[in-house]
Amino acid sequence: MKLLVTFSRKEGKKPIIAQVVRDTGVLVNVERALIDSSEGEALIDIPDESCRIVKDKLADLGASVRILEEEISLDETECVDCGACISICPQEVFSFDEEFRLRMDAKRCVLCGRCIEICPHGALSRRVDI
Amino acid sequence: MKKTIHQINERIRDGNARVVTAEEMPAIVAELGEEGALAEVDVVTTGTFGAMCSSGGFFNFGHADPPIRMERVWLNDVEAYAGLAAVDAYIGATQQSTTREDQYGGAHVIEDFIAGKSVELRAISRGTDCYPRRTITTDLLLENLNQAIMCNPRNGYQRYNAASNSTERVLHTYMGMLLPSFGNVTYSGAGLLNPISNDPGFRFIGSGVPCFLGGAEGMVIGEGTQASPAAGFGTLMVTGDMKKMNTEYIRAATMHGYGVTMYVGLGIPIPVLDVETVRSTAVKDEDIWVDIIDYGVPARDRPTIGKVNYAMLKAGHLEINGEEVRTSSLSSLRRARRVAEELKGWIESGKMAVCLPTRRIDPGRRAAPMRETVQGPRVLEIMDRRVITISENEPIRDAARKLLKGETNHLPVINGEGVLVGIVTTYDVSKAVVNPAKISHVKDIMRRKVVTTTADEPVDIAVRKLEKHNISALPVVDREYRVVGMLTAMDLGKLFGGRWLK
């Protein structure tokens, strides 16, 4: 399960994620992070059964947490199954099936946005459900 | 055994012609042998669906009242070429909108027309006695046009070289996004389904031959522009009626960082008359080889990294320098198969017959590069030959002094042999002054990764480096990596008012 964590750094550089890992014992996978001097945003992946405990701990530490249900959405009327997205995706979200139809494993997506930018047919977009 | 085109057309007319796609052919030949396949198969259909930039179409809008002789024409803000006659225009697929840039272009106008959408025509004229009107604006549907004739100068490339990138930055090309350090390989084309790959001698593909174009019955006009069949890169010029096309097989697209293009579905039926045709249509993906080209080198003759065939490309990954690299196709094999299947249905049902070319395409043709009579400016001509350098073991204070005295912002750093090892800018020195930690020497603050140019590099390419890396100077180095000059943004000013802008 993927959580989008946003936190303020105004009160100092608290190691929020490290703290969560230590206190909960849940192994957190940071898939994408953007942190500057005033705020941070991190996309983390955790086992589904640990969602509650991690979410609560993050909230205790002052971070706001959203569960990402859908990551990337493919418009099948625009897609022509060219495959331009396949090799540029760092997460190997896209592949061809045996009939060279484009297949998408959205669970692997970390929302880097690269495929949305380069899809020649504008068939990919970000759909974030909360 | 030989068959005639008339025998095949008779069987098509009677509804009992045996038609197969080029993908089915290798297995049939393996099973029945060449003579057996010749007796069995009458027509092989081919198909491809991919980006074909050199495409477009002629429109005739009909006369307005009072009439106008259109001198400039825009369709949804995309300019069409109007230097033809009063109300004719040619729209090119890659022409971009004046208002929406690479998000909308000629290809989108064509797709919108075919999809049944309304398109705004705007035209201007200076007015004449016979055509007094000066401006016109009107909304048009495809059915309102007298003609909408797709005419694509260069379609159906026989095969296309694959692309990769040796540099350390991402490249956005017409071959898609190329990741740094050979991070991926992109390719285009349907391999064994490609029309010309099934008839590389152009015995059956030539002027007047029927084809599938954008979902409609079209025709091969003849040799395409830039055709180089002697090198294995034949192309075709094709035409078809846009009014009968559908958007399954004509799709506008934008290659990020490159521009607008159009995906075209093209297929050609090949009559199987003799054993030679059986052999050429039994071509396999393994037989069609292309080079992997390094798009990191911004020159016409880019270096080749290796050779691959379409079977390797379609497998999804291949090896470069011992590393596994993923491949991406830019054309759609699935849709190419649909073109070949649909064309097969047309011939089986008698909707389309076959014929021999009225004029053959010369398979010995080879495309030549441009003859350039005026060479563009080279770095040598505008670079600053006054080079002030510093060695890495000198104190930062000396660097500051040299920067001040030399009235420059960039100091190339050289080692004992005079070889470039880094660069220091006024910014780096200022930063060292503000944060005076333990650092004291040039080697502590210099940047070791230096973007360089050479004296014979075209200025356009050096400028692209400045832009891409967001820097304002490039050391000019010789073969031994010794600094022979500097090219700064200021030197570019020499281009203006000089002989290059005449």
Side-chain angles (χ1 to χ4, degrees), chain B residues 413-431:
Chain B
V413 184
I414 53 172
N415 67 11
E417 282 84 56
V419 172
L420 180 71
V421 292
I423 193 160
V424 171
T425 65
T426 39
Y427 174 77
D428 300 323
V429 173
S430 313
K431 219 166 63 175

Side-chain angles (χ1 to χ4, degrees), chain A residues 80-83 86-87 89 120, chain B residues 184 251 254 326 328-329 332 334:
Chain A
V80 300
D81 304 291
C82 70
I86 293 176
S87 72
C89 173
Chain B
N184 66 340
R251 282 293 178 89
T254 300
R326 277 186 296 156
S328 263
S329 92
S332 168
R334 185 163 175 242

Side-chain angles (χ1 to χ4, degrees), chain A residues 68-75 85 89 93-94 104-117 119 123-129:
Chain A
L68 290 185
E69 299 284 357
E70 285 280 342
E71 291 88 357
I72 189 113
S73 135
L74 176 70
D75 181 346
C85 50
C89 173
V93 168
F94 305 99
M104 191 172 77
D105 183 2
K107 283 200 192 73
R108 306 173 70 105
C109 176
V110 296
L111 284 176
C112 73
R114 199 187 265 179
C115 60
I116 298 172
E117 185 179 76
C119 174
L124 291 159
S125 57
R126 187 176 294 215
R127 189 174 63 200
V128 183
D129 293 348

